[in-house]
Amino acid sequence: MFLKNCIKNKMVKSPQRISKIRYLMNTFFEIEVLCERYSSIIEIAFGEIKRLERLLSRFQNESEISLVNCAAGNSPIKVSDETLNLIKSSLKFSSITDGGFNITICPLVELWKLAEEKNGVPTEEEIKNVISLIDFKEIEVEEVKKTVFLKKKGMKIDLGAIGKGYAVDRAIKILKENGITQAMVNAGGNLYILGEHIGGNPSSIGIPNPLKPDEIIAKIDLTDRAISTSGNYERFFTIDGRQFGHIINPVTGYPENRVLSVSIVADTAIKADALSTGILVMGFERGMKLIESLNNVEGIIITNNKEDGMQIDISEGLKGKGISKYV
Ligand code: AMP
Ligand code: MG
């Protein structure tokens, strides 16, 4: 979706623009590079994303995350440095967002998924029971032994709100190591723009209208920056004809709907990914305050203002800096 508003028309014939799309980590990854001649570098970057999917997906039985989930309440599991570091980063984002971002959310995600299959909203009792399993402080990370332990039986980790951002950063790193200076890696709205277009122009990235996602509501110019948009319009559970968003408030147990979407611009895609999810849960006031307090982080929060329609708020650092609004 972003590609349409991105590099496509601006790159000139030589060097060539090469773009490929692959379905990985439950989303479409697109890698676009600008290089003198065809190279296999895009395939190497996709290989890295595939490796990360095998390591981190909770849907793959042999992944380290699945092993940790299976052993919840029983035993710590030894994991790779990479998984350990990603879980440590996740805990840091939980603490920054006051628990809005919480990778132990998985049992609630599963409860709502089941509710969709049964076509009945979960009862308060069911939600209350599951909420007792949602607590990032019950993840025990042993640095020396390199183990991760979920202390309560039934706890489960879901890296769906941070893994794609991490994969984007890894793919960009590989492209850079192989001499690429201009590229875009886009994982379904979590993307990083490396370098400028030929001619020195920044890439213009579209922010979707959360009420009509096929439309662009604003554009933002980016160079050597990541952007990630979280919105409950992106994916949802449909129950009894009603749509419930996929981002769940760990405190209430219900899909969060106070904010329509949060776009975070940051120096890394992992940061943009985790913060966009966490801030959507935090809500406008606390969320914008957090954005303003962080270095290298800017944001756009779109709320549903019943009187004026949609309200778009932009952090100070973005004002007057290559952002154009259409409503
Ligand atoms: P994103 O699209 O990056 O905002 O991530 C949303 C995905 O993360 C959902 O589909 C869930 O798998 C998971 N998720 C839902 N709620 C939360 C939350 N509060 N904290 C962390 N991950 C969440
Ligand atoms: Mg996210």
Side-chain angles (χ1 to χ4, degrees), residues 31 59 83 95 101 109 120 161 165 188 234 260 294 297 305 318:
I31 302 183
F59 299 107
T83 301
S95 127
F101 173 84
V109 173
E234 294 175 300
L260 293 175
L294 295 171
V297 173
N305 184 328
L318 283 183

Side-chain angles (χ1 to χ4, degrees), residues 108-123 126-127 237-240 244:
L108 273 173
V109 173
E110 289 182 337
L111 180 70
W112 281 92
K113 182 79 202 142
L114 194 69
E116 181 174 52
E117 282 159 21
K118 293 199 297 200
N119 201 28
V121 176
T123 62
E126 283 172 322
I127 287 182
F237 310 104
T238 307
I239 305 171
D240 213 8
F244 295 86

Side-chain angles (χ1 to χ4, degrees), residues 58 99-105 109 158-162 164 190 228-231 234-235 246-250 273-274 276-278 281:
R58 71 179 168 94
F101 173 84
N102 186 334
I103 56 169
T104 66
I105 200 78
V109 173
D158 172 2
L159 295 178
I162 189 168
K164 290 190 266 299
N190 296 285
S228 165
T229 298
S230 285
E234 294 175 300
R235 292 182 192 207
H246 67 140
I247 299 170
I248 300 177
N249 185 320
D273 192 2
S276 63
T277 311
V281 174

Side-chain angles (χ1 to χ4, degrees), residues 257-286:
N257 59 11
R258 291 170 301 164
V259 168
L260 293 175
S261 79
V262 176
S263 299
I264 295 292
V265 176
D267 49 343
T268 61
I270 187 175
K271 210 188 261 184
D273 192 2
L275 288 176
S276 63
T277 311
I279 288 174
L280 187 129
V281 174
M282 291 176 87
F284 170 69
E285 275 182 23
R286 283 197 304 149

